[in-house]
Amino acid sequence: PTVIPFPRDKYKSLLAVIRKDIDNPKNPNVRKQWDKMLMRHIIMLMYGTGCRVVEVKNLRWKDVYIDEDKNPRIHFHGKKKERDIVVHNNVYSALNDWKTYVIKKGDRFGWNETDYPFVFSAWNQKHVSGQLNSTSRRNWYKEIDLDPIKYQLGCFRHQFISHRLKKGRQALHIAYYCGTSVKMIQQTYGSITPPNLFEQVFSVVPEQSLES
């Protein structure tokens, strides 16, 4: 499949457009603002961890925590695999900001963590929508001159992986962190890995990991 990472140089512009839209006083509808805030934090999570869309949908509040060594962690649930990783403080802080917003605005419909366990459930919904294809996200893309059809939500995972490969990060580490195999990374991203870094990225990988 064609890998189209989100353009890294557009990320700050995207966040600025999102913030401007959310803060627009002409948009007083709380439900619509909730949806925009939800998509904002999904984008920040995927950009900062390289997680999959299905992992976003399955994420529960109890999966975001501080471990015994005071490291912020997230336990991701995929279709068949699970993984528990340390995340950047910025990611953890963003999710805490989202929870603060949810607690405040969700008071209108009696939100509580027990009855609404999923991190990214829609307004007054206990489960996450089967589709995370928001109109707002498409409009934000257009404002920064990006094709919303070309750059689907998964482009943030692609950006996370491709950026680290281009920086020379070892493929085995990336595979572990992103819950995939080195073989899949090489097949999918090998062509966009700089030739001068290809050997550094893939050469010292244990042979068995290439078979996984």
Side-chain angles (χ1 to χ4, degrees):
T2 302
V3 177
I4 306 178
F6 185 86
R8 191 173 178 81
D9 61 346
K10 291 278 190 177
Y11 186 63
K12 288 185 178 180
S13 298
L14 175 63
L15 292 185
V17 165
I18 294 173
R19 187 77 266 174
K20 181 180 178 182
D21 185 21
I22 290 173
D23 291 342
N24 188 342
K26 295 182 180 180
N27 297 324
N29 188 296
V30 178
R31 181 170 181 170
K32 289 183 179 179
Q33 188 189 55
W34 176 290
D35 291 342
K36 291 176 182 180
M37 286 287 286
L38 180 148
M39 183 52 61
R40 174 178 184 259
H41 287 87
I42 287 177
I43 288 172
M44 294 173 74
L45 173 65
M46 294 190 70
Y47 187 89
T49 65
C51 65
R52 297 179 176 87
V53 174
V54 67
E55 292 172 328
V56 169
K57 293 179 179 179
N58 292 339
L59 189 65
R60 297 172 182 252
W61 292 111
K62 67 180 181 180
D63 298 324
V64 183
Y65 67 100
I66 299 292
D67 67 18
E68 295 178 353
D69 296 320
K70 298 184 179 180
N71 296 310
R73 303 186 73 98
I74 294 180
H75 189 95
F76 283 118
H77 305 267
K79 291 182 179 179
K80 297 181 180 180
K81 297 180 180 180
E82 297 190 13
R83 59 197 172 96
D84 198 290
I85 59 173
V86 174
V87 298
H88 195 281
N89 284 328
N90 289 346
V91 173
Y92 184 77
S93 295
L95 291 176
N96 271 342
D97 289 344
W98 168 237
K99 189 172 186 179
T100 298
Y101 177 87
V102 167
I103 291 172
K104 180 179 179 181
K105 300 298 182 180
D107 184 61
R108 299 190 180 197
F109 55 84
W111 183 92
N112 63 82
E113 191 172 332
T114 300
D115 293 331
Y116 298 85
F118 291 97
V119 173
F120 295 112
S121 57
W123 172 265
N124 201 14
Q125 298 293 319
K126 295 184 178 181
H127 298 284
V128 180
S129 170
Q131 299 292 327
L132 291 176
N133 189 25
S134 79
T135 300
S136 294
R137 181 169 59 86
R138 295 195 294 272
N139 291 335
W140 297 334
Y141 281 6
K142 291 177 182 178
E143 285 201 43
I144 59 173
D145 298 320
L146 286 184
D147 183 347
I149 296 177
K150 181 179 179 181
Y151 294 97
Q152 299 295 324
L153 195 54
C155 70
F156 296 102
R157 174 176 170 82
H158 295 323
Q159 192 284 326
F160 183 92
I161 295 174
S162 62
H163 175 67
R164 280 147 187 82
L165 289 172
K166 291 176 181 178
K167 289 291 187 179
R169 289 290 299 272
Q170 229 288 317
L172 187 60
H173 297 159
I174 299 173
Y176 172 79
Y177 196 84
C178 294
T180 188
S181 68
V182 174
K183 182 178 180 180
M184 182 61 69
I185 287 181
Q186 187 166 352
Q187 289 176 340
T188 309
Y189 299 91
S191 62
I192 63 174
T193 302
N196 62 312
L197 293 176
F198 192 90
E199 184 175 354
Q200 173 183 327
V201 168
F202 293 105
S203 65
V204 297
V205 174
E207 187 174 339
Q208 62 270 24
S209 68
L210 291 172
E211 301 299 325
S212 61

